[in-house]
Amino acid sequence: MPQDDMTNAAAERSAQAEIQASKPLPQPNLSATQPADVYSIESLVPSGLLTLHKIPVQDWQAAIAASEGITTSSRFVANRVEAAVQSGDKTVVQLLRFILILIEFSRSLKRSPGRGLDSRKLPPREDLRRILSTAVDSETNTTPTITDSFLDSIRRKFVPQGSFLSRNDITLLHTTICAMSLHIPPASGKTGGSNVSELATDPADLRDDLRLENDTILKYFRELGCKVDKPRESEFAKWSIKGGKAEAASRRIARLKIPVEFPKMSRGRAPRR
């Protein structure tokens, strides 16, 4: 690549990085050469893999090995846990359980009179610990997962004001969950091989779990740099589409590819003369 082109590309990445840094979104690695590195698992989880590797998943693994069903409060998790376990990647299974923790965290937030319609209040500390523990505790997990340090790592990342979340804080929470979901294989378990050229997910289950409007969650994925489109005919099995083109027309898939393309910023209308 000519020197001028390299300089221009670096300047564009720098300008885009500044734009993204001003938004309540997880920060992308714009130098990534693989989709999985744009929003790496380690960068998304508070305190990184140190936190993630503390999450127990033996109960899920044992249940799948015994062909037993797993019931959770999340449609996204329940529909993907079998594929995640069967992938053989323990980190992916732990990430799926961490997504469940964050979904419960989001659901625990309540409106607080006097602080605006868009702000939310965190439950008291011990109530929050109890709520989040429902996502990880089981008869086989005898050691508490939601320790003080675990709880504090989540609060530092998503509740910088201490006990209240602003609209931007909530957007960061939801978009972080969206970015995490791109690393989870679909319910079919079909990922397209080890050298994947894109990360992709069907946002519908996550939309329902987070109680968001469809347009809102699709906007979140576009803000993360995903292209949102209908599933391709060659992907019908991957996305469990059994109703053919008619069903596919109503479904949307969010795809993250390299190079990442973010929504163009509106420059507004030109002034009248």
Side-chain angles (χ1 to χ4, degrees), residues 47-124:
S47 300
L49 298 181
L50 182 65
T51 295
L52 198 64
H53 289 165
K54 293 177 181 177
I55 297 176
V57 292
Q58 294 89 341
D59 56 328
W60 281 2
Q61 292 170 323
I64 296 302
S67 299
E68 296 174 355
I70 295 175
T71 302
T72 79
S73 61
S74 158
R75 290 181 60 181
F76 180 87
V77 174
N79 287 337
R80 290 160 178 80
V81 62
E82 182 175 356
V85 170
Q86 291 181 343
S87 74
D89 189 333
K90 184 177 179 180
T91 297
V92 167
V93 184
Q94 290 173 314
L95 179 64
L96 185 62
R97 197 154 212 167
F98 192 75
I99 290 173
L100 179 58
I101 291 172
L102 292 186
I103 289 172
E104 293 293 355
F105 182 84
S106 177
R107 289 173 174 170
S108 76
L109 305 176
K110 304 298 181 184
R111 287 185 177 178
S112 179
R115 297 191 70 95
L117 293 177
D118 293 329
S119 68
R120 294 292 184 271
K121 183 179 181 180
L122 210 58

Side-chain angles (χ1 to χ4, degrees), residues 20-234:
Q20 293 305 114
S22 68
K23 298 179 179 181
L25 304 167
Q27 295 306 298
N29 173 11
L30 297 179
S31 299
T33 58
Q34 298 292 329
D37 295 330
V38 177
Y39 300 102
S40 68
I41 293 175
E42 186 169 7
S43 71
L44 293 171
V45 177
S47 300
L49 298 181
L50 182 65
T51 295
L52 198 64
H53 289 165
K54 293 177 181 177
I55 297 176
V57 292
Q58 294 89 341
D59 56 328
W60 281 2
Q61 292 170 323
I64 296 302
S67 299
E68 296 174 355
I70 295 175
T71 302
T72 79
S73 61
S74 158
R75 290 181 60 181
F76 180 87
V77 174
N79 287 337
R80 290 160 178 80
V81 62
E82 182 175 356
V85 170
Q86 291 181 343
S87 74
D89 189 333
K90 184 177 179 180
T91 297
V92 167
V93 184
Q94 290 173 314
L95 179 64
L96 185 62
R97 197 154 212 167
F98 192 75
I99 290 173
L100 179 58
I101 291 172
L102 292 186
I103 289 172
E104 293 293 355
F105 182 84
S106 177
R107 289 173 174 170
S108 76
L109 305 176
K110 304 298 181 184
R111 287 185 177 178
S112 179
R115 297 191 70 95
L117 293 177
D118 293 329
S119 68
R120 294 292 184 271
K121 183 179 181 180
L122 210 58
R125 187 179 186 87
E126 290 309 311
D127 288 350
L128 180 62
R129 190 197 307 273
R130 176 181 52 78
I131 292 168
L132 301 189
S133 293
T134 63
V136 288
D137 287 349
S138 70
E139 293 180 358
T140 59
N141 301 331
T142 56
T143 302
T145 302
I146 312 300
T147 60
D148 284 340
S149 60
F150 190 98
L151 202 56
D152 289 341
S153 68
I154 294 177
R155 291 176 62 126
R156 279 194 300 271
K157 186 175 183 73
F158 299 114
V159 200
Q161 300 179 61
S163 58
F164 291 90
L165 285 82
S166 67
R167 180 178 182 179
N168 281 355
D169 296 332
I170 296 168
T171 298
L172 175 61
L173 171 63
H174 288 168
T175 53
T176 299
I177 296 172
C178 290
M180 289 177 178
S181 75
L182 291 165
H183 292 276
I184 305 299
S188 66
K190 300 179 184 296
T191 60
S194 57
N195 296 317
V196 293
S197 60
E198 67 177 26
L199 296 182
T201 192
D202 180 343
D205 287 340
L206 207 55
R207 172 201 64 205
D208 294 343
D209 286 340
L210 296 176
R211 300 163 184 168
L212 297 171
E213 295 294 331
N214 197 55
D215 288 348
T216 300
I217 198 162
L218 296 185
K219 178 184 177 183
Y220 284 165
F221 277 102
R222 290 189 181 101
E223 290 284 354
L224 290 170
C226 294
K227 181 179 180 181
V228 178
D229 56 16
K230 293 184 291 187
R232 308 169 187 125
E233 191 167 355
S234 60

